[in-house]
Amino acid sequence: MDPEVQKALKELQVIQQNTAARMQMADAQKYQKRTELRKVVLTAQEMEALPSDVTVYNAVGKMFVVSDKEAILDDLETQAKDCDVTIKKIEEAQKHMKTSLKQSEDNIREMLIQRHKKG
């Protein structure tokens, strides 16, 4: 096999391994954010069911502080939006990784076809 082809195949293998590792890490991050989003949504649903005159507490470090129900709901809404944005960014990054990997494979395939035509 041509040394140039061997080098290209090794580079493709490295790219595939790196991409697979990054995809696994992105999947783990996405799972973590989806779990966090579920917790936030469930907490918000439970908070909304509470009467408006009930005393609510917000965790600040190791202590709990009396807080306004609306303030906590606003905070939960912000957290949910942040989770959604992060999940979308991770999915966009995964899409880009897949496209990049496919492009590398296509380049190698095209190089092999051209080598085969010359040889």
Side-chain angles (χ1 to χ4, degrees):
M1 192 182 296
D2 188 6
E4 189 175 325
V5 173
Q6 283 182 332
K7 181 181 175 189
L9 290 174
K10 284 183 182 180
E11 288 176 7
L12 177 62
Q13 185 179 17
V14 169
I15 290 171
Q16 285 176 328
Q17 289 171 345
N18 289 340
T19 302
R22 289 181 15 218
M23 290 289 281
Q24 282 182 332
M25 189 169 64
D27 282 337
Q29 289 173 340
K30 194 165 52 170
Y31 178 79
Q32 181 183 21
K33 283 297 175 182
R34 284 192 174 139
T35 302
E36 183 181 337
L37 179 61
R38 264 194 312 271
K39 288 179 183 178
V40 167
V41 168
L42 290 172
T43 303
Q45 288 174 349
E46 291 296 319
M47 289 286 298
E48 288 172 354
L50 293 174
S52 59
D53 63 341
V54 72
T55 303
V56 290
Y57 297 89
N58 193 11
V60 179
K62 291 184 178 182
M63 74 179 172
F64 292 92
V65 179
V66 174
S67 186
D68 180 38
K69 176 182 166 185
E70 293 303 316
I72 292 176
L73 286 172
D74 289 343
D75 185 45
L76 291 171
E77 184 179 338
T78 301
Q79 288 177 21
K81 286 179 183 177
D82 289 346
C83 287
D84 279 335
V85 168
T86 303
I87 290 168
K88 287 178 184 171
K89 284 181 182 179
I90 292 170
E91 287 172 346
E92 235 359 89
Q94 285 181 314
K95 187 175 165 185
H96 177 70
M97 284 185 257
K98 287 178 185 177
T99 303
S100 177
L101 181 61
K102 175 106 172 83
Q103 190 176 29
S104 295
E105 289 171 353
D106 290 344
N107 289 343
I108 298 293
R109 193 172 294 114
E110 186 177 318
M111 183 179 76
L112 289 173
I113 290 171
Q114 296 218 352
R115 293 276 181 200
H116 184 66
K117 286 181 181 178
K118 286 182 181 179

